[in-house]
Amino acid sequence: MKNKNAKFQTRAIHYGYDTKQFHGSLNPPVYMTSTFAFDNVKQGADAFEGENNHYIYSRLGTPSQSLLEQRIANLEGGEAALATASGMGAITSAFWSLVEPGDEIIADVTLYGCTFSFLEHGLKKFGVTITYCDLTNAVNLANIISDKTKVVYGESPANPNMRIIDIKAIAGVTKNTKAKFIIDNTYCTPYLQRPIEMGADIVVHSATKYLGGHGDLIAGFVISDTDTMENIRYFGLKDMTGSVISAMDIALILRGLKTLHVRMDRHCSNAEKIAEYLDDHPLVSKVYFPGLKSFKYHSLAKKQMAKFGGMIAFEIKGERQAGEDFVNALNLILCAVSLGDTETLIQHPASMTHSTYTEDELKKHLISPNLLRLSVGLEDVEDIIADLQQSFVRLKNAKTYLKGIA
Ligand code: 7XF
């Protein structure tokens, strides 16, 4: 791609690929290979020493993986990237590379369930201290960060309650410390938010979500500067997790990235309309959506996100059973975890994605037991709203709901 000033959309389609090098093939080859043959022992030995760029073994990368990594690094505004077999593969490869026994990680209060579990039930066992801090206000971090802090970690918006971290302000606190500031950018994708441009050191993704975009793969990314990424690839992934992305998933994500901007625009516009609908509904007690003026972090979201994303969290009046009945009565909207797919999905975090938290922990980590999470898909927005509407009508007539508010 010759035009270095090309816009995001153009780079998402073209960056790093030259059809002329591959017989004019519009898409790059899928490298279904585990290993790469050397001309001789010397060439192999040099490859292992890093003295040539010959591919070695697919745990370390393949040509189409390099293309995908260069493309996502470019879109996120980072120097280099690593593609992994899952979002958890990305997150764990990064953490294993950055902390040692005796170190501290400061994490935001609300984390995706398995990230919480990895820190709380995993790294803790190896002598790493995990401190939770409300990163929606950088002063909280400034008060507790120390030389022992090696990572400051958060999601923005947070899964599932949509809390928003002031990325610039947090980066301002971590800047002259020993801590790397990692943001999980899964909910936004680089189309809506680029944390590295705001001062974050590392971005991680579950590419399973919007980046793949079609619910047909599990994958992840880490993006950062070249040195950090060398460490994460050649130690975190190579030796610690072995979380290698498959050849087919590389091809599928390259395809997903080509339509990312179009899909995200529609996810966002559908979600805005649905959030307004829910906000106006008499049976809904609370809606958490960055685009609503009533949302606590609306002005911060406006500052750091290009649009407000496709994720909504909300609570229904009544007891937990009311929410369960509501989900069970939906027809079009599927009851499933994961997010960022073309299909609209709904789930109950306390019993699904965040079931790694105990009841006490849910409270401490600001995850309401009544919360429902909606991943707004690409169906016609009127059809999605009609499905919500028919479920509300059935709920209104249901005994369980009446008991809940009595
Ligand atoms: O290993 P995965 O590709 O599933 O990614 C893990 C992950 C990392 N960060 C965030 C913000 C995530 O949301 C995820 C996965 N979350 C799914 C969900 O919340 O529905 C997982 C289904 S249990």
Side-chain angles (χ1 to χ4, degrees):
M1 209 185 70
K2 287 181 191 125
N3 178 6
K4 287 206 172 99
N5 298 320
K7 301 278 191 300
F8 183 97
Q9 289 84 333
T10 310
R11 287 182 279 123
I13 294 169
H14 292 281
Y15 187 85
Y17 184 62
D18 181 359
T19 54
K20 289 191 181 60
Q21 291 175 11
F22 296 95
H23 310 280
S25 174
L26 189 64
N27 287 298
V30 176
Y31 286 84
M32 295 292 273
T33 186
S34 50
T35 197
F36 293 83
F38 304 115
D39 289 347
N40 50 49
V41 172
K42 169 92 171 68
Q43 190 187 40
D46 286 351
F48 272 81
E49 285 301 312
E51 281 166 15
N52 64 37
N53 289 328
H54 204 288
Y55 287 93
I56 297 173
Y57 184 61
S58 297
R59 176 147 38 84
L60 304 176
T62 68
S64 59
Q65 184 176 339
S66 301
L67 167 64
L68 175 63
E69 290 169 349
Q70 284 160 20
R71 194 167 286 177
I72 194 74
N74 176 274
L75 296 176
E76 278 286 3
E79 288 174 3
L82 172 69
T84 56
S86 66
M88 286 314 297
I91 291 164
T92 53
S93 298
F95 272 115
W96 282 124
S97 308
L98 298 172
V99 294
E100 292 178 7
D103 288 344
E104 180 193 43
I105 293 165
I106 299 182
D108 184 45
V109 177
T110 306
L111 299 172
Y112 160 58
C114 293
T115 306
F116 172 72
S117 187
F118 173 64
L119 299 180
E120 191 62 26
H121 306 138
L123 282 184
K124 236 185 187 176
K125 279 203 300 202
F126 296 88
V128 177
T129 303
I130 317 293
T131 306
Y132 298 99
C133 175
D134 178 357
L135 296 183
T136 62
N137 185 347
V139 175
N140 297 332
L141 178 66
N143 285 339
I144 60 167
I145 197 165
S146 75
D147 273 0
K148 281 191 160 184
T149 314
K150 295 294 157 58
V151 176
V152 171
Y153 187 90
E155 304 165 0
S156 190
N159 184 357
N161 56 18
M162 308 300 293
R163 292 167 60 260
I164 306 251
I165 292 173
D166 188 339
I167 297 174
K168 248 190 202 161
I170 295 291
V173 176
T174 56
K175 198 173 173 197
N176 294 313
T177 69
K178 292 184 173 163
K180 296 267 189 202
F181 176 28
I182 307 182
I183 279 283
D184 182 329
N185 203 27
T186 298
Y187 266 37
C188 280
T189 83
Y191 183 59
L192 299 183
Q193 175 172 280
R194 286 183 290 282
I196 290 172
E197 290 177 0
M198 292 184 254
D201 299 300
I202 301 174
V203 163
V204 292
H205 275 284
S206 169
T208 313
K209 317 299 193 246
Y210 294 107
L211 299 177
H214 297 76
D216 50 10
L217 62 93
I218 301 270
F221 286 115
V222 188
I223 301 112
S224 188
D225 61 81
T226 310
D227 288 349
T228 304
M229 289 319 305
E230 282 231 347
N231 182 28
I232 295 174
R233 182 189 303 276
Y234 293 110
F235 177 64
L237 178 124
K238 178 173 80 66
D239 299 339
M240 297 301 283
T241 67
S243 175
V244 181
I245 190 168
S246 79
M248 277 310 293
D249 289 348
I250 291 167
L252 287 171
I253 299 173
L254 282 166
R255 180 165 76 166
L257 287 178
K258 293 185 188 193
T259 56
L260 177 67
H261 55 287
V262 182
R263 289 185 287 107
M264 288 313 288
D265 282 343
R266 184 59 63 88
H267 281 297
C268 291
S269 63
N270 277 1
E272 277 193 41
K273 287 181 193 139
I274 291 168
E276 277 162 25
Y277 164 80
L278 290 171
D279 201 35
D280 285 344
H281 202 285
L283 295 187
V284 174
S285 54
K286 192 101 184 111
V287 181
Y288 306 85
F289 180 69
L292 289 176
K293 287 201 182 74
S294 57
F295 183 60
K296 191 171 173 191
Y297 307 105
H298 174 67
S299 54
L300 179 55
K302 231 170 132 179
K303 226 173 50 184
Q304 69 184 25
M305 295 166 70
K307 293 181 180 183
F308 299 114
M311 297 300 295
I312 303 172
F314 65 105
E315 285 164 37
I316 287 181
K317 285 181 188 163
E319 288 171 359
R320 186 163 158 167
Q321 187 64 42
E324 217 171 285
D325 290 347
F326 176 77
V327 172
N328 291 342
L330 290 164
N331 294 323
L332 174 71
I333 300 169
L334 301 166
C335 173
V337 298
S338 205
L339 57 105
D341 295 330
T342 53
E343 293 80 359
T344 299
L345 306 178
I346 195 163
Q347 63 110 7
H348 178 233
S351 55
M352 296 180 188
T353 53
H354 293 68
S355 57
T356 51
Y357 291 78
T358 63
E359 259 179 52
D360 274 358
E361 285 170 344
L362 284 173
K363 231 182 254 160
K364 263 210 299 221
H365 293 265
L366 313 176
I367 302 163
S368 153
N370 289 351
L371 198 72
L372 297 177
R373 192 192 74 183
L374 191 68
S375 169
V376 176
L378 303 181
E379 303 96 337
D380 187 288
V381 70
E382 298 303 326
D383 289 336
I384 303 170
I385 289 174
D387 194 31
L388 294 168
Q389 180 65 22
Q390 65 79 27
S391 186
F392 278 126
V393 169
R394 282 163 71 170
L395 185 65
K396 207 173 157 187
N397 299 329
K399 277 190 201 137
T400 48
Y401 174 72
L402 292 175
K403 241 191 270 166
I405 55 167

